[in-house]
Amino acid sequence: MRLEQLRSVVEIVNQGYSVSCAAEALNTPQPALSRQLRSLERELGIDLFVRNQNRLRGLSRAGTAIHEIAVRVLRDTESIAHIARDFFDVKSGSLTIATTHTQARYALPPLIKQFSVRYPDVEIMIRQGGPAEIIELVRSREADLCIGSESPAAASDIALFACYPMHRIVLTPKDHPLLAVRRLTLESLARYPIITYDSPFIGRSKLVRSFASQGLKPKIVLSAIDTDVIKAYVELGLGIAIIAKLAYDAARDTHLRAIDASHLFEPNTIQLGVRRNDYLRGYVFDFIEMFAPHLKRKRVESMLRGQQHRTSRQ
């Protein structure tokens, strides 16, 4: 049994049981890939896939169990290579961060600057998406870690750590009537058109629930995943915005004004996620601690090995 055979099985499943697509992804001729699969099945004495007229329709019962083990074997093999590389060169490599626009634009720049000074030979890549998308990027190994608000897409193979609460503000043009209100209420907000985050963001559902708890329905006229887009439409007078407090910069947003709304809406929890049972290079642990100082390496390693299953702070 060879790693190439196991890799073929895993890639065929990844490609929706298309041998041709798997061959292309592995940069292998299709006949060679088919021979590898047949050779493995002969060696094991079982069919790994259910076939219909020479087409693969799914995994057999035995194939399902073997596929799970093959995924672990390939992942562990990759970890061996990472460990060797880490000991050979501890300060160079790459770090891919999957994150939301708000974090990429407002939370991460000073941190990444600090990290780059410490590790000038580490290439940093930022992949942006919604909360569910960034978790999937980590799950599929397209990113080393993700940073964003809570997501219903969380899964057992991703360890999530609570980092900090993110409160909300109401953003208005600089001459808006709400600026004269002594204490902001949901009733006063409900009188105006509202611009906020798109529905994949859990903050959107929390916002709607807050209004509903008072028998109110907000008039949401526009939603977006990009906070800067939301700001642009507030400046145009389309409505007021309910966004993360982090995203307001008085020095830059000179045409806008912010009103604290932390007493009206439940805060989102910003979480950092990594794959369980994965090997992280030393500089990744340093980045995690720089972003969330309470996430020491020992604690993160403990959770990655499955020794604890909580995401709240200790």
Side-chain angles (χ1 to χ4, degrees):
M1 188 183 305
R2 304 187 308 277
L3 287 176
E4 290 81 2
Q5 293 172 317
L6 299 182
R7 193 170 288 113
S8 297
V9 172
V10 171
E11 193 59 42
I12 288 171
V13 175
N14 290 345
Q15 298 296 330
Y17 306 104
S18 170
V19 177
S20 60
C21 291
E24 183 178 353
L26 294 171
N27 197 25
T28 302
Q30 182 174 336
L33 187 65
S34 297
R35 285 195 298 273
Q36 284 185 357
L37 177 58
R38 288 195 298 269
S39 174
L40 178 59
E41 289 181 320
R42 282 197 302 269
E43 182 178 347
L44 296 174
I46 56 173
D47 289 332
L48 298 177
F49 293 90
V50 176
R51 291 172 170 83
N52 184 1
Q53 296 181 349
N54 294 325
R55 290 184 178 274
L56 304 184
R57 299 301 184 187
L59 287 164
S60 66
R61 183 176 178 183
T64 299
I66 290 172
H67 170 261
E68 292 177 359
I69 295 173
V71 169
R72 292 201 299 270
V73 169
L74 293 174
R75 183 173 58 215
D76 290 345
T77 301
E78 186 176 334
S79 292
I80 290 172
H82 288 168
I83 293 170
R85 186 168 65 248
D86 204 9
F87 277 90
F88 177 76
D89 189 353
V90 298
K91 291 193 173 183
S92 69
S94 64
L95 172 60
T96 301
I97 304 164
T99 189
T100 58
H101 171 266
T102 299
Q103 296 298 310
R105 172 67 179 80
Y106 298 100
L108 292 181
L111 174 65
I112 287 178
K113 181 179 180 181
Q114 178 186 354
F115 180 85
S116 296
V117 170
R118 186 180 301 182
Y119 294 100
D121 295 323
V122 174
E123 178 186 2
I124 301 171
M125 290 166 279
I126 295 178
R127 301 280 303 275
Q128 288 184 223
E133 292 171 318
I134 63 176
I135 287 178
E136 185 56 36
L137 287 171
V138 174
R139 181 182 289 118
S140 63
R141 309 182 76 82
E142 296 176 67
D144 299 296
L145 56 88
C146 61
I147 297 172
S149 56
E150 311 105 297
S151 169
S156 59
D157 58 338
I158 304 296
L160 294 171
F161 301 87
C163 297
Y164 64 88
M166 188 165 66
H167 298 282
R168 291 186 186 81
I169 58 170
V170 172
L171 210 59
T172 75
K174 58 184 179 181
D175 56 353
H176 198 276
L178 278 175
L179 296 170
V181 174
R182 178 170 296 182
R183 181 173 174 80
L184 203 62
T185 65
L186 291 172
E187 289 80 3
S188 60
L189 291 181
R191 299 190 188 106
Y192 298 96
I194 292 174
I195 306 170
T196 191
Y197 298 110
D198 203 357
S199 54
F201 289 77
I202 198 166
R204 164 73 173 258
S205 59
K206 288 183 177 180
L207 180 151
V208 173
R209 286 201 302 270
S210 295
F211 279 100
S213 69
Q214 300 298 314
L216 300 169
K217 184 177 181 181
K219 184 182 179 182
I220 298 176
V221 295
L222 186 144
S223 59
I225 64 173
D226 188 319
T227 308
D228 289 337
V229 170
I230 293 174
K231 289 180 181 181
Y233 283 98
V234 175
E235 286 191 38
L236 288 174
L238 187 65
I240 60 173
I242 301 174
I243 64 169
K245 182 178 180 180
L246 174 71
Y248 177 69
D249 183 343
R252 288 175 178 265
D253 301 321
T254 56
H255 298 292
L256 301 172
R257 297 294 182 268
I259 308 172
D260 178 55
S262 58
H263 61 291
L264 298 178
F265 304 106
E266 178 188 354
N268 291 345
T269 300
I270 298 303
Q271 297 179 328
L272 184 147
V274 289
R275 291 180 297 274
R276 291 188 187 275
N277 300 311
D278 202 3
Y279 176 80
L280 299 181
R281 298 190 66 183
Y283 59 73
V284 180
F285 286 107
D286 283 351
F287 179 88
I288 291 172
E289 188 172 344
M290 290 165 66
F291 182 76
H294 65 286
L295 295 180
K296 308 299 183 185
R297 178 168 183 164
K298 184 176 180 181
R299 180 186 173 191
V300 175
E301 286 182 321
S302 174
M303 190 163 181
L304 293 186
R305 296 188 189 115
Q307 295 175 6
Q308 66 179 45
H309 300 283
R310 292 174 294 152
T311 58
S312 59
R313 297 188 185 190
Q314 293 181 341

